[in-house]
Amino acid sequence: MPPTATSAEIDRAARLLRTGRLVTFPTETVYGLGANALDAEAVARIFAVKGRPNTSPVIVHVASIEMAESLVAAWPKTADRLANKFWPGPLTLVLAKRPEIPDIVTAGLPTVGLRMPAHPVALALIRAAGVPLAAPSANRFTELSPTTAEHVRRSLGNDVDYLLDGGPCQVGIESTVLSLAEPQPVLFRPGGISRDKLELLVGPIAFAAAPAGGAHPAPGMHARHYSPRTRLLLVRDGELPSEGKGIYLKHTHSAVRVGVETIQMPTEASAYAAALYDALHRADEGNFDWIAVNTPPDGPEWEAVQDRLRRAATNQ
Ligand code: TXA
Ligand code: MG
């Protein structure tokens, strides 16, 4: 059994959150770096610890639809339909916010991203704290997201007040961010729930335009994001660089040149997503000159994985 935080640990973390401290906690997508979302000073510490520019809004985590409704100016029918179907789960809904949410949480935007996470430790923590939790992924800005408590320890070390361990994240890739602030839903970030599943419920979804300065509606839009330190190349199967020492992440079962280390990835999209960040963390620790990743297939279920790999590969 993977380690899972006890209720005594969750209570202690909840007390810390209520007094303005920072707690890292597991969600089903990635680990979050959490603070009381209604406490502007506590949220400011999140930005300081991550080294994240204050133009990037932070997701607010809730434990119920009622808690979500209490934070927004209006709760449209589409939000209700999506939340009833996909919450708790890896879907963030962007809606017009109420003034109680400090500007620092939303980077000055009039909207807030809300999500009810499915991990039992996350839900228990929000309930015990009794407040919504602002939480970006628990890594330094532009680093790979953490999907185990060990990843969090290595990235943030002693800069957080408390760490709750909930084992490895089951979804393994960040939530889908969907804006409902305009008449037509807009996809800000592909993620744990694929676009085609959402479209069945709400009709056609538009793609977000790249931000033109000012607040980033989605920091995932920064070109270099979710990146390992090692040069990452997206390649066709077996087309590996001839120079240097490398590691190859592949989902096929083809033979690989002698001397190249490999990480065998799952062939199914959600299993691949669940394994991706841990594989990249491991590859990045190996002192390689390059990480080659066999480009995964196209198709709606691969959209989030393709997105993260394309961003990680921009440091070529
Ligand atoms: O799965 C996840 O979403 C994880 C876990 C911890 O819940 N969190 C996460 O947070 O990935 P972060 O801060 O790394 O990414 C937040 C995403 C960004 O794409 C951000 O721009 C978008 O949510 N977002 C948050 N508030 C927004 C808003 N008001 N308008 C538009 N996008 C928003
Ligand atoms: Mg992040």
Side-chain angles (χ1 to χ4, degrees):
M1 273 293 287
T4 273
T6 63
S7 58
E9 289 169 334
I10 291 169
D11 285 343
R12 172 156 179 224
R15 278 198 302 279
L16 287 168
L17 287 166
R18 281 197 301 270
T19 56
R21 313 285 286 277
L22 302 187
V23 170
T24 49
F25 63 96
T27 83
E28 76 281 22
T29 58
V30 300
Y31 275 72
L33 170 58
N36 176 355
L38 305 177
D39 179 341
E41 277 176 40
V43 177
R45 285 193 59 214
I46 293 180
F47 285 88
V49 166
K50 274 190 73 105
R52 173 162 164 150
N54 59 12
T55 47
S56 286
V58 174
I59 292 173
V60 173
H61 297 70
V62 297
S64 65
I65 290 182
E66 292 67 40
M67 196 185 249
E69 284 185 74
S70 76
L71 299 170
V72 295
W75 181 250
K77 268 208 192 78
T78 45
D80 208 50
R81 231 181 286 150
L82 289 164
N84 275 299
K85 170 110 177 130
F86 295 111
W87 282 4
L91 175 65
T92 296
L93 298 176
V94 174
L95 293 158
K97 78 175 187 82
R98 283 206 195 166
E100 291 89 313
I101 300 179
D103 280 341
I104 187 165
V105 172
T106 64
L109 292 169
T111 53
V112 61
L114 295 174
R115 157 165 131 79
M116 179 173 168
H119 198 295
V121 171
L123 285 175
L125 179 65
I126 302 164
R127 287 197 189 107
V131 290
L133 298 184
S137 51
N139 55 288
R140 312 240 180 232
F141 186 60
T142 78
E143 281 183 358
L144 287 171
S145 294
T147 54
T148 67
E150 188 50 33
H151 296 158
V152 178
R153 270 184 217 108
R154 266 186 258 144
S155 176
L156 300 180
N158 295 325
D159 287 352
V160 292
D161 299 304
Y162 203 58
L163 165 80
L164 289 174
D165 193 336
C169 302
Q170 300 295 303
V171 174
I173 205 159
E174 296 85 347
S175 62
T176 304
V177 179
L178 185 73
S179 173
L180 300 177
E182 308 291 331
Q184 188 186 4
V186 181
L187 186 73
F188 280 149
R189 179 177 72 183
I193 294 177
S194 62
R195 189 159 45 95
D196 54 326
K197 293 210 180 84
L198 300 175
E199 286 184 328
L200 285 179
L201 230 68
V202 299
I205 291 172
F207 286 97
H216 288 275
M221 290 177 176
H222 286 283
R224 189 173 176 279
H225 204 72
Y226 314 108
S227 304
R229 290 180 302 268
T230 315
R231 189 164 66 110
L232 188 145
L233 308 156
L234 268 174
V235 301
R236 284 206 295 213
D237 198 13
E239 293 185 1
L240 305 178
S242 49
E243 304 282 302
K245 190 165 87 85
I247 184 162
Y248 184 34
L249 270 63
K250 65 183 190 79
H251 58 275
T252 61
H253 291 275
S254 54
V256 177
R257 200 171 72 216
V258 177
V260 175
E261 237 180 88
T262 62
I263 296 181
Q264 188 63 49
M265 298 298 290
T267 51
E268 190 271 317
S270 61
Y272 189 109
L276 178 61
Y277 285 135
D278 190 56
L280 290 177
H281 277 280
R282 280 192 287 141
D284 207 18
E285 280 145 29
N287 259 319
F288 293 103
D289 302 311
W290 45 263
I291 302 168
V293 181
N294 179 8
T295 309
D298 291 322
E301 73 279 25
W302 289 94
E303 197 176 14
V305 162
Q306 293 269 13
D307 171 79
R308 301 309 187 272
L309 284 173
R310 270 198 307 274
R311 291 176 199 289
T314 53
N315 58 340
Q316 289 174 43

Short mmCIF file of all heavy atoms in Angstrom, two decimals, residues 12-66:
data_model
loop_
_atom_site.label_atom_id
_atom_site.label_comp_id
_atom_site.label_asym_id
_atom_site.label_seq_id
_atom_site.Cartn_x
_atom_site.Cartn_y
_atom_site.Cartn_z
N ARG A 12 -3.83 18.32 11.44
CA ARG A 12 -2.70 19.22 11.70
C ARG A 12 -2.48 20.14 10.50
O ARG A 12 -2.30 21.36 10.64
CB ARG A 12 -1.45 18.38 11.98
CG ARG A 12 -0.24 19.22 12.07
CD ARG A 12 0.89 18.61 12.89
NE ARG A 12 2.01 19.54 12.84
CZ ARG A 12 3.27 19.19 12.65
NH1 ARG A 12 3.59 17.91 12.56
NH2 ARG A 12 4.21 20.10 12.59
N ALA A 13 -2.54 19.56 9.28
CA ALA A 13 -2.37 20.36 8.06
C ALA A 13 -3.48 21.41 7.95
O ALA A 13 -3.22 22.57 7.59
CB ALA A 13 -2.38 19.46 6.84
N ALA A 14 -4.70 21.03 8.30
CA ALA A 14 -5.84 21.96 8.23
C ALA A 14 -5.65 23.13 9.19
O ALA A 14 -5.93 24.28 8.85
CB ALA A 14 -7.14 21.22 8.54
N ARG A 15 -5.14 22.84 10.40
CA ARG A 15 -4.88 23.92 11.37
C ARG A 15 -3.82 24.88 10.83
O ARG A 15 -3.96 26.09 10.93
CB ARG A 15 -4.40 23.34 12.71
CG ARG A 15 -5.54 22.85 13.60
CD ARG A 15 -5.08 22.70 15.05
NE ARG A 15 -3.96 21.78 15.21
CZ ARG A 15 -4.08 20.44 15.24
NH1 ARG A 15 -5.28 19.87 15.15
NH2 ARG A 15 -3.01 19.68 15.38
N LEU A 16 -2.78 24.33 10.24
CA LEU A 16 -1.73 25.18 9.66
C LEU A 16 -2.31 26.07 8.56
O LEU A 16 -2.02 27.27 8.50
CB LEU A 16 -0.60 24.31 9.10
CG LEU A 16 0.30 23.64 10.15
CD1 LEU A 16 1.19 22.58 9.50
CD2 LEU A 16 1.17 24.68 10.86
N LEU A 17 -3.15 25.49 7.71
CA LEU A 17 -3.76 26.28 6.62
C LEU A 17 -4.60 27.42 7.17
O LEU A 17 -4.57 28.53 6.64
CB LEU A 17 -4.62 25.37 5.72
CG LEU A 17 -3.81 24.42 4.82
CD1 LEU A 17 -4.72 23.34 4.24
CD2 LEU A 17 -3.12 25.20 3.68
N ARG A 18 -5.33 27.15 8.25
CA ARG A 18 -6.19 28.20 8.82
C ARG A 18 -5.38 29.35 9.42
O ARG A 18 -5.89 30.44 9.60
CB ARG A 18 -7.13 27.61 9.88
CG ARG A 18 -8.33 26.89 9.25
CD ARG A 18 -9.43 26.68 10.29
NE ARG A 18 -8.97 25.90 11.42
CZ ARG A 18 -9.03 24.57 11.49
NH1 ARG A 18 -9.58 23.88 10.51
NH2 ARG A 18 -8.58 23.95 12.55
N THR A 19 -4.11 29.07 9.76
CA THR A 19 -3.27 30.15 10.32
C THR A 19 -2.32 30.72 9.26
O THR A 19 -1.29 31.29 9.59
CB THR A 19 -2.47 29.67 11.54
OG1 THR A 19 -1.68 28.53 11.14
CG2 THR A 19 -3.40 29.26 12.68
N GLY A 20 -2.66 30.53 8.00
CA GLY A 20 -1.92 31.22 6.93
C GLY A 20 -0.68 30.49 6.45
O GLY A 20 0.13 31.07 5.71
N ARG A 21 -0.51 29.24 6.84
CA ARG A 21 0.69 28.51 6.43
C ARG A 21 0.45 27.74 5.12
O ARG A 21 -0.69 27.62 4.67
CB ARG A 21 1.11 27.53 7.54
CG ARG A 21 1.12 28.16 8.92
CD ARG A 21 2.33 29.06 9.14
NE ARG A 21 3.55 28.29 9.33
CZ ARG A 21 3.93 27.76 10.49
NH1 ARG A 21 3.18 27.91 11.57
NH2 ARG A 21 5.06 27.09 10.58
N LEU A 22 1.54 27.17 4.57
CA LEU A 22 1.47 26.43 3.31
C LEU A 22 1.57 24.93 3.55
O LEU A 22 2.40 24.48 4.33
CB LEU A 22 2.62 26.83 2.38
CG LEU A 22 2.75 28.30 1.98
CD1 LEU A 22 3.84 28.44 0.92
CD2 LEU A 22 1.43 28.83 1.46
N VAL A 23 0.74 24.17 2.86
CA VAL A 23 0.74 22.71 2.96
C VAL A 23 0.74 22.13 1.56
O VAL A 23 -0.03 22.57 0.70
CB VAL A 23 -0.51 22.22 3.73
CG1 VAL A 23 -0.66 20.71 3.63
CG2 VAL A 23 -0.46 22.66 5.20
N THR A 24 1.62 21.15 1.30
CA THR A 24 1.54 20.44 0.03
C THR A 24 0.71 19.18 0.25
O THR A 24 0.82 18.52 1.28
CB THR A 24 2.93 20.08 -0.52
OG1 THR A 24 3.69 19.47 0.52
CG2 THR A 24 3.66 21.31 -1.00
N PHE A 25 -0.13 18.88 -0.73
CA PHE A 25 -1.07 17.77 -0.55
C PHE A 25 -1.30 17.04 -1.88
O PHE A 25 -1.14 17.63 -2.96
CB PHE A 25 -2.40 18.27 0.04
CG PHE A 25 -3.14 19.25 -0.84
CD1 PHE A 25 -4.15 18.81 -1.70
CD2 PHE A 25 -2.84 20.61 -0.83
CE1 PHE A 25 -4.85 19.70 -2.52
CE2 PHE A 25 -3.52 21.51 -1.64
CZ PHE A 25 -4.52 21.06 -2.48
N PRO A 26 -1.68 15.75 -1.79
CA PRO A 26 -1.91 14.99 -3.02
C PRO A 26 -3.26 15.32 -3.64
O PRO A 26 -4.22 15.59 -2.93
CB PRO A 26 -1.92 13.55 -2.52
CG PRO A 26 -2.42 13.64 -1.11
CD PRO A 26 -1.90 14.96 -0.58
N THR A 27 -3.30 15.36 -4.97
CA THR A 27 -4.59 15.32 -5.66
C THR A 27 -4.47 14.17 -6.66
O THR A 27 -3.39 13.59 -6.81
CB THR A 27 -4.95 16.62 -6.41
OG1 THR A 27 -4.31 16.64 -7.68
CG2 THR A 27 -4.60 17.87 -5.61
N GLU A 28 -5.54 13.84 -7.35
CA GLU A 28 -5.46 12.75 -8.32
C GLU A 28 -4.65 13.14 -9.55
O GLU A 28 -4.20 12.27 -10.29
CB GLU A 28 -6.87 12.28 -8.71
CG GLU A 28 -7.62 13.20 -9.67
CD GLU A 28 -8.23 14.41 -8.97
OE1 GLU A 28 -7.78 14.80 -7.88
OE2 GLU A 28 -9.18 14.99 -9.56
N THR A 29 -4.45 14.47 -9.78
CA THR A 29 -3.69 14.89 -10.96
C THR A 29 -2.21 15.00 -10.64
O THR A 29 -1.40 14.20 -11.09
CB THR A 29 -4.22 16.24 -11.49
OG1 THR A 29 -4.11 17.23 -10.45
CG2 THR A 29 -5.66 16.13 -11.95
N VAL A 30 -1.85 16.03 -9.85
CA VAL A 30 -0.48 16.24 -9.39
C VAL A 30 -0.57 16.76 -7.96
O VAL A 30 -1.65 17.12 -7.50
CB VAL A 30 0.27 17.27 -10.29
CG1 VAL A 30 0.32 16.79 -11.74
CG2 VAL A 30 -0.35 18.66 -10.20
N TYR A 31 0.55 16.80 -7.24
CA TYR A 31 0.56 17.37 -5.89
C TYR A 31 0.35 18.89 -5.97
O TYR A 31 0.85 19.54 -6.90
CB TYR A 31 1.85 17.05 -5.15
CG TYR A 31 1.81 15.70 -4.46
CD1 TYR A 31 1.86 14.52 -5.21
CD2 TYR A 31 1.68 15.59 -3.08
CE1 TYR A 31 1.79 13.28 -4.59
CE2 TYR A 31 1.61 14.36 -2.44
CZ TYR A 31 1.67 13.20 -3.21
OH TYR A 31 1.59 11.98 -2.58
N GLY A 32 -0.38 19.44 -5.00
CA GLY A 32 -0.64 20.87 -4.96
C GLY A 32 0.09 21.54 -3.81
O GLY A 32 0.36 20.92 -2.78
N LEU A 33 0.41 22.83 -4.01
CA LEU A 33 1.01 23.66 -2.96
C LEU A 33 -0.10 24.59 -2.48
O LEU A 33 -0.45 25.55 -3.17
CB LEU A 33 2.19 24.45 -3.54
CG LEU A 33 2.82 25.53 -2.68
CD1 LEU A 33 3.32 24.99 -1.35
CD2 LEU A 33 3.96 26.21 -3.43
N GLY A 34 -0.68 24.28 -1.32
CA GLY A 34 -1.93 24.90 -0.93
C GLY A 34 -1.82 25.97 0.14
O GLY A 34 -0.95 25.93 1.01
N ALA A 35 -2.75 26.94 0.05
CA ALA A 35 -2.93 27.98 1.07
C ALA A 35 -4.42 28.31 1.11
O ALA A 35 -5.15 28.03 0.15
CB ALA A 35 -2.12 29.22 0.72
N ASN A 36 -4.84 28.91 2.22
CA ASN A 36 -6.22 29.40 2.32
C ASN A 36 -6.45 30.42 1.20
O ASN A 36 -5.81 31.47 1.15
CB ASN A 36 -6.39 30.06 3.70
CG ASN A 36 -7.77 30.69 3.87
OD1 ASN A 36 -8.57 30.74 2.93
ND2 ASN A 36 -8.02 31.17 5.07
N ALA A 37 -7.39 30.13 0.31
CA ALA A 37 -7.61 30.98 -0.87
C ALA A 37 -8.18 32.34 -0.50
O ALA A 37 -8.17 33.26 -1.32
CB ALA A 37 -8.56 30.28 -1.85
N LEU A 38 -8.68 32.50 0.72
CA LEU A 38 -9.27 33.77 1.13
C LEU A 38 -8.26 34.64 1.89
O LEU A 38 -8.61 35.72 2.36
CB LEU A 38 -10.53 33.52 1.98
CG LEU A 38 -11.57 32.62 1.29
CD1 LEU A 38 -12.75 32.35 2.20
CD2 LEU A 38 -12.04 33.23 -0.03
N ASP A 39 -7.03 34.16 2.01
CA ASP A 39 -5.99 34.84 2.77
C ASP A 39 -4.90 35.29 1.78
O ASP A 39 -4.05 34.51 1.35
CB ASP A 39 -5.43 33.85 3.81
CG ASP A 39 -4.30 34.44 4.65
OD1 ASP A 39 -3.69 35.45 4.24
OD2 ASP A 39 -4.03 33.86 5.72
N ALA A 40 -4.95 36.58 1.42
CA ALA A 40 -4.06 37.10 0.37
C ALA A 40 -2.57 36.93 0.74
O ALA A 40 -1.75 36.62 -0.13
CB ALA A 40 -4.36 38.57 0.09
N GLU A 41 -2.24 37.10 2.03
CA GLU A 41 -0.83 36.97 2.42
C GLU A 41 -0.33 35.54 2.27
O GLU A 41 0.80 35.30 1.86
CB GLU A 41 -0.63 37.40 3.87
CG GLU A 41 -0.48 38.89 4.02
CD GLU A 41 -0.39 39.30 5.48
OE1 GLU A 41 0.27 38.59 6.27
OE2 GLU A 41 -1.01 40.33 5.81
N ALA A 42 -1.19 34.59 2.63
CA ALA A 42 -0.81 33.19 2.50
C ALA A 42 -0.61 32.84 1.02
O ALA A 42 0.36 32.16 0.65
CB ALA A 42 -1.87 32.29 3.13
N VAL A 43 -1.50 33.34 0.18
CA VAL A 43 -1.38 33.05 -1.26
C VAL A 43 -0.12 33.71 -1.83
O VAL A 43 0.56 33.13 -2.69
CB VAL A 43 -2.65 33.49 -2.03
CG1 VAL A 43 -2.49 33.27 -3.53
CG2 VAL A 43 -3.88 32.73 -1.50
N ALA A 44 0.24 34.88 -1.30
CA ALA A 44 1.47 35.54 -1.76
C ALA A 44 2.68 34.65 -1.49
O ALA A 44 3.63 34.62 -2.28
CB ALA A 44 1.64 36.89 -1.06
N ARG A 45 2.65 33.90 -0.40
CA ARG A 45 3.77 32.99 -0.10
C ARG A 45 3.87 31.86 -1.13
O ARG A 45 4.96 31.37 -1.41
CB ARG A 45 3.62 32.40 1.31
CG ARG A 45 3.95 33.39 2.40
CD ARG A 45 4.11 32.70 3.76
NE ARG A 45 5.16 31.70 3.75
CZ ARG A 45 5.15 30.56 4.46
NH1 ARG A 45 4.10 30.27 5.22
NH2 ARG A 45 6.16 29.73 4.41
N ILE A 46 2.73 31.42 -1.67
CA ILE A 46 2.78 30.40 -2.74
C ILE A 46 3.63 30.92 -3.90
O ILE A 46 4.51 30.22 -4.40
CB ILE A 46 1.36 30.06 -3.27
CG1 ILE A 46 0.52 29.37 -2.21
CG2 ILE A 46 1.46 29.20 -4.52
CD1 ILE A 46 -0.89 29.02 -2.69
N PHE A 47 3.34 32.16 -4.32
CA PHE A 47 4.07 32.73 -5.46
C PHE A 47 5.56 32.84 -5.15
O PHE A 47 6.42 32.57 -5.99
CB PHE A 47 3.50 34.10 -5.84
CG PHE A 47 2.19 34.02 -6.57
CD1 PHE A 47 0.98 33.98 -5.89
CD2 PHE A 47 2.17 33.96 -7.96
CE1 PHE A 47 -0.23 33.90 -6.57
CE2 PHE A 47 0.97 33.88 -8.65
CZ PHE A 47 -0.23 33.84 -7.95
N ALA A 48 5.88 33.24 -3.88
CA ALA A 48 7.28 33.40 -3.48
C ALA A 48 7.99 32.05 -3.52
O ALA A 48 9.09 31.93 -4.06
CB ALA A 48 7.36 34.02 -2.09
N VAL A 49 7.37 31.02 -2.94
CA VAL A 49 8.01 29.70 -2.87
C VAL A 49 8.20 29.11 -4.27
O VAL A 49 9.24 28.53 -4.59
CB VAL A 49 7.19 28.74 -1.98
CG1 VAL A 49 7.63 27.30 -2.16
CG2 VAL A 49 7.33 29.15 -0.51
N LYS A 50 7.21 29.27 -5.13
CA LYS A 50 7.31 28.70 -6.48
C LYS A 50 8.23 29.50 -7.39
O LYS A 50 8.72 28.99 -8.39
CB LYS A 50 5.92 28.66 -7.14
CG LYS A 50 5.12 27.43 -6.82
CD LYS A 50 3.87 27.34 -7.71
CE LYS A 50 4.15 26.98 -9.13
NZ LYS A 50 3.81 25.61 -9.53
N GLY A 51 8.40 30.79 -7.06
CA GLY A 51 9.11 31.68 -7.98
C GLY A 51 8.25 31.92 -9.20
O GLY A 51 8.73 32.03 -10.33
N ARG A 52 6.94 32.01 -8.96
CA ARG A 52 5.99 32.12 -10.07
C ARG A 52 5.61 33.57 -10.28
O ARG A 52 5.34 34.28 -9.32
CB ARG A 52 4.76 31.29 -9.69
CG ARG A 52 3.58 31.38 -10.62
CD ARG A 52 2.69 30.20 -10.33
NE ARG A 52 1.37 30.32 -10.87
CZ ARG A 52 0.65 29.25 -11.24
NH1 ARG A 52 1.15 28.04 -11.09
NH2 ARG A 52 -0.54 29.39 -11.70
N PRO A 53 5.58 34.06 -11.53
CA PRO A 53 5.19 35.45 -11.76
C PRO A 53 3.73 35.67 -11.34
O PRO A 53 2.90 34.77 -11.48
CB PRO A 53 5.35 35.63 -13.27
CG PRO A 53 5.37 34.27 -13.85
CD PRO A 53 5.85 33.33 -12.78
N ASN A 54 3.45 36.87 -10.81
CA ASN A 54 2.09 37.09 -10.30
C ASN A 54 1.08 37.36 -11.40
O ASN A 54 -0.05 37.75 -11.14
CB ASN A 54 2.08 38.17 -9.22
CG ASN A 54 2.59 39.49 -9.75
OD1 ASN A 54 2.74 39.67 -10.97
ND2 ASN A 54 2.87 40.42 -8.86
N THR A 55 1.49 37.13 -12.66
CA THR A 55 0.54 37.21 -13.77
C THR A 55 -0.13 35.86 -14.03
O THR A 55 -0.94 35.74 -14.94
CB THR A 55 1.27 37.64 -15.06
OG1 THR A 55 2.46 36.85 -15.19
CG2 THR A 55 1.64 39.11 -15.03
N SER A 56 0.22 34.84 -13.23
CA SER A 56 -0.39 33.51 -13.41
C SER A 56 -1.42 33.23 -12.32
O SER A 56 -1.05 33.11 -11.16
CB SER A 56 0.69 32.43 -13.34
OG SER A 56 1.45 32.42 -14.51
N PRO A 57 -2.70 33.11 -12.70
CA PRO A 57 -3.72 32.83 -11.69
C PRO A 57 -3.60 31.42 -11.14
O PRO A 57 -3.06 30.53 -11.78
CB PRO A 57 -5.03 33.00 -12.46
CG PRO A 57 -4.68 32.76 -13.88
CD PRO A 57 -3.25 33.21 -14.05
N VAL A 58 -4.09 31.23 -9.92
CA VAL A 58 -3.99 29.95 -9.22
C VAL A 58 -5.38 29.31 -9.11
O VAL A 58 -6.37 30.01 -8.91
CB VAL A 58 -3.40 30.18 -7.81
CG1 VAL A 58 -3.40 28.90 -7.00
CG2 VAL A 58 -2.00 30.75 -7.90
N ILE A 59 -5.44 28.01 -9.22
CA ILE A 59 -6.71 27.29 -9.11
C ILE A 59 -7.17 27.23 -7.65
O ILE A 59 -6.35 27.03 -6.76
CB ILE A 59 -6.56 25.86 -9.68
CG1 ILE A 59 -6.35 25.92 -11.20
CG2 ILE A 59 -7.79 25.00 -9.35
CD1 ILE A 59 -6.03 24.59 -11.84
N VAL A 60 -8.47 27.38 -7.44
CA VAL A 60 -9.04 27.27 -6.09
C VAL A 60 -9.77 25.93 -5.98
O VAL A 60 -10.61 25.59 -6.82
CB VAL A 60 -10.00 28.45 -5.82
CG1 VAL A 60 -10.73 28.25 -4.49
CG2 VAL A 60 -9.22 29.77 -5.82
N HIS A 61 -9.41 25.17 -4.93
CA HIS A 61 -9.95 23.83 -4.74
C HIS A 61 -11.07 23.85 -3.70
O HIS A 61 -10.92 24.44 -2.63
CB HIS A 61 -8.84 22.87 -4.31
CG HIS A 61 -7.77 22.71 -5.35
ND1 HIS A 61 -6.88 23.73 -5.66
CD2 HIS A 61 -7.46 21.68 -6.18
CE1 HIS A 61 -6.07 23.32 -6.63
NE2 HIS A 61 -6.40 22.08 -6.96
N VAL A 62 -12.16 23.19 -4.05
CA VAL A 62 -13.34 23.16 -3.17
C VAL A 62 -13.70 21.71 -2.86
O VAL A 62 -13.24 20.78 -3.53
CB VAL A 62 -14.55 23.87 -3.85
CG1 VAL A 62 -14.25 25.35 -4.08
CG2 VAL A 62 -14.91 23.18 -5.18
N ALA A 63 -14.54 21.54 -1.82
CA ALA A 63 -14.93 20.18 -1.42
C ALA A 63 -16.37 19.87 -1.80
O ALA A 63 -16.84 18.76 -1.54
CB ALA A 63 -14.73 20.01 0.08
N SER A 64 -17.07 20.83 -2.41
CA SER A 64 -18.46 20.58 -2.80
C SER A 64 -18.89 21.60 -3.84
O SER A 64 -18.23 22.65 -4.01
CB SER A 64 -19.38 20.73 -1.58
OG SER A 64 -19.35 22.08 -1.14
N ILE A 65 -19.99 21.30 -4.52
CA ILE A 65 -20.55 22.26 -5.48
C ILE A 65 -21.03 23.51 -4.73
O ILE A 65 -20.85 24.62 -5.19
CB ILE A 65 -21.69 21.60 -6.29
CG1 ILE A 65 -21.09 20.55 -7.24
CG2 ILE A 65 -22.48 22.65 -7.08
CD1 ILE A 65 -22.09 19.84 -8.14
N GLU A 66 -21.57 23.32 -3.53
CA GLU A 66 -22.04 24.47 -2.73
C GLU A 66 -20.89 25.44 -2.45
O GLU A 66 -21.05 26.65 -2.54
CB GLU A 66 -22.64 24.01 -1.40
CG GLU A 66 -23.95 23.22 -1.51
CD GLU A 66 -23.77 21.85 -2.18
OE1 GLU A 66 -22.74 21.17 -1.90
OE2 GLU A 66 -24.62 21.46 -3.00
#
